[in-house]
Amino acid sequence: MSFFSDKDIDTVAVSNKLKRKFLAHGDGLSSSRLIAEAGAIIAERKNCYNEIDIVLSGRFEFTLAGDTAMLSEGDSVYIPRDTPYSFVCLEKGEIITVRNEEDAE
């Protein structure tokens, strides 16, 4: 069993408006906290693993396989492997991301 203390985990800049803090991980499963300022963008991409994003706060415009939805606190999205997605942060917020990297091909 592994415990991870938030105060011991560094925050890593993804871009000037986006930061990531890696959380609990092990055996192909990982989680992280994404901290986004308004205007932060994740350009369209595809992952080689399945992912779930859960919005803790803020507002985000997510596009998944061409469909767009507004997500806010408590909303979530499942992103299947090899599916194009992107998002724009409309209002400062945070997202918890869970990845099953054992799914990676």
Side-chain angles (χ1 to χ4, degrees):
M1 201 185 251
S2 298
F3 296 96
F4 300 83
S5 177
D6 188 63
K7 66 179 174 50
D8 296 332
I9 302 169
D10 291 331
T11 301
V12 178
V14 175
S15 70
N16 64 338
K17 294 187 176 191
L18 200 57
K19 298 175 185 168
R20 183 177 301 278
K21 194 167 197 176
F22 291 97
L23 305 174
H25 56 274
D27 295 331
L29 190 62
S30 68
S31 61
S32 62
R33 177 185 301 148
L34 203 56
I35 304 149
E37 296 294 327
I41 295 172
I42 291 287
E44 186 173 287
R45 62 181 356 137
K46 294 180 185 179
N47 294 332
C48 62
Y49 44 79
N50 296 313
E51 178 175 311
I52 293 173
D53 289 349
I54 305 160
V55 178
L56 297 180
S57 63
R59 286 186 333 115
F60 297 83
E61 180 182 273
F62 266 84
T63 300
L64 179 66
D67 292 327
T68 300
M70 297 297 184
L71 301 182
S72 57
E73 183 178 342
D75 296 336
S76 57
V77 58
Y78 170 67
I79 305 169
R81 172 184 41 239
D82 297 325
T83 302
Y85 76 97
S86 62
F87 78 70
V88 176
C89 178
L90 303 175
E91 179 183 297
K92 180 180 177 178
E94 295 187 20
I95 295 173
I96 293 292
T97 297
V98 179
R99 298 176 174 150
N100 186 350
E101 295 174 5
E102 285 184 342
D103 290 339
E105 293 182 339

